[in-house]
Amino acid sequence: MDWQALTLSIKLSLVTLIFLLPIGIFFGRWLAYRQFFGKSLLQTILALPLVLPPTVLGYYLLVAFSPNQGFGLWLANTFGTTLVFNFQGLVLASIIFNLPFAIQPMLRAFAAIPREIREAAACCGMPPAQVLWKIELPLAWPGIISAMVMCFAHTLGEFGIVLMVGGNIPAETQTIAISIYDRVQAFDDQSAAIMSFSLLLFSMITISFTYWLSERHQHPYV
């Protein structure tokens, strides 16, 4: 087991979750309750990482983050930093790549809350922030937890987008998935098998947990 790569992958997953939790709640709730012009287009853009090959998304992010043009050039001139081949760039790329895995389960969770419950709370004089904190979040928490678990597991196994944006720098951008690839290239089949089986087992546990959570809370809100 490449513990350094595994530690980096876990760190990347946790940092990604810290940012995705409020982003997912905001967009999930907003898209569940609001109707506006261009909503379908926005949902299409947010869902693109589900079907877009990671290397394609990684290529566009690499171009966008490049310090030679556009956003990357502005970032380099303004803050003297870059987002390619470092951990900060991996975090931003991971957030973008995992947006649909965070937003869609939360959207479904908020959409499943009957409008009458929110309207009754508003009639009782509860401000919107209190409705969100005391009513909506407790009812939507299974979807929120499922989204976070899936995002963590998905980030842990990222390969294409990580390699495109971060490269393969030990202790900086070399995640567990890239380490497995390196072991295969070096004909170290035993290490590759151990790490691959560990990710396989973790993925199975993650998916089983999300299914269990979904089935356990399939009931009407009464």
Side-chain angles (χ1 to χ4, degrees):
M1 176 64 70
D2 187 344
W3 296 107
Q4 187 178 67
L6 179 60
T7 302
L8 181 66
S9 296
I10 293 175
K11 178 183 176 182
L12 176 63
S13 299
L14 292 176
V15 175
T16 299
L17 291 189
I18 291 174
F19 287 98
L20 279 179
L21 179 59
I23 292 174
I25 291 175
F26 173 80
F27 279 102
R29 184 176 182 270
W30 183 46
L31 291 172
Y33 298 158
R34 298 287 186 269
Q35 296 295 329
F36 54 88
F37 178 77
K39 179 179 179 180
S40 297
L41 177 60
L42 177 59
Q43 288 181 297
T44 300
I45 294 173
L46 292 175
L48 267 179
L50 287 174
V51 296
L52 200 62
T55 50
V56 174
L57 180 59
Y59 167 75
Y60 284 115
L61 291 178
L62 181 63
V63 172
F65 295 166
S66 171
N68 299 321
Q69 59 186 350
F71 173 73
L73 179 60
W74 172 83
L75 196 66
N77 292 335
T78 305
F79 299 100
T81 186
T82 180
L83 291 175
V84 293
F85 307 122
N86 58 39
F87 184 77
Q88 291 78 11
L90 284 189
V91 171
L92 183 55
S94 181
I95 291 171
I96 295 173
F97 190 45
N98 283 285
L99 279 175
F101 296 91
I103 294 174
Q104 291 193 5
M106 296 188 194
L107 189 158
R108 291 192 294 268
F110 282 112
I113 302 175
R115 179 183 301 177
E116 292 78 8
I117 294 179
R118 295 185 286 111
E119 292 177 347
C123 290
C124 292
M126 295 181 67
Q130 196 172 5
V131 173
L132 171 64
W133 183 254
K134 292 189 174 181
I135 295 178
E136 293 175 354
L137 288 180
L139 291 177
W141 78 265
I144 295 173
I145 295 298
S146 296
M148 292 296 95
V149 172
M150 290 298 293
C151 286
F152 184 89
H154 192 239
T155 304
L156 199 65
E158 286 177 7
F159 177 80
I161 196 168
V162 170
L163 190 61
M164 293 292 290
V165 176
N168 186 8
I169 306 173
E172 180 69 23
T173 62
Q174 187 185 68
T175 61
I176 187 68
I178 296 178
S179 181
I180 293 173
Y181 177 78
D182 282 350
R183 293 297 189 273
V184 173
Q185 291 292 98
F187 300 101
D188 186 358
D189 294 337
Q190 183 177 2
S191 297
I194 292 174
M195 290 187 287
S196 297
F197 179 75
S198 300
L199 287 184
L200 174 63
L201 184 62
F202 180 79
S203 299
M204 292 180 64
I205 294 173
T206 299
I207 295 174
S208 298
F209 175 77
T210 55
Y211 278 127
W212 172 81
L213 195 62
S214 176
E215 293 174 359
R216 189 167 182 263
H217 292 273
Q218 283 182 352
H219 59 80
Y221 298 112
V222 293

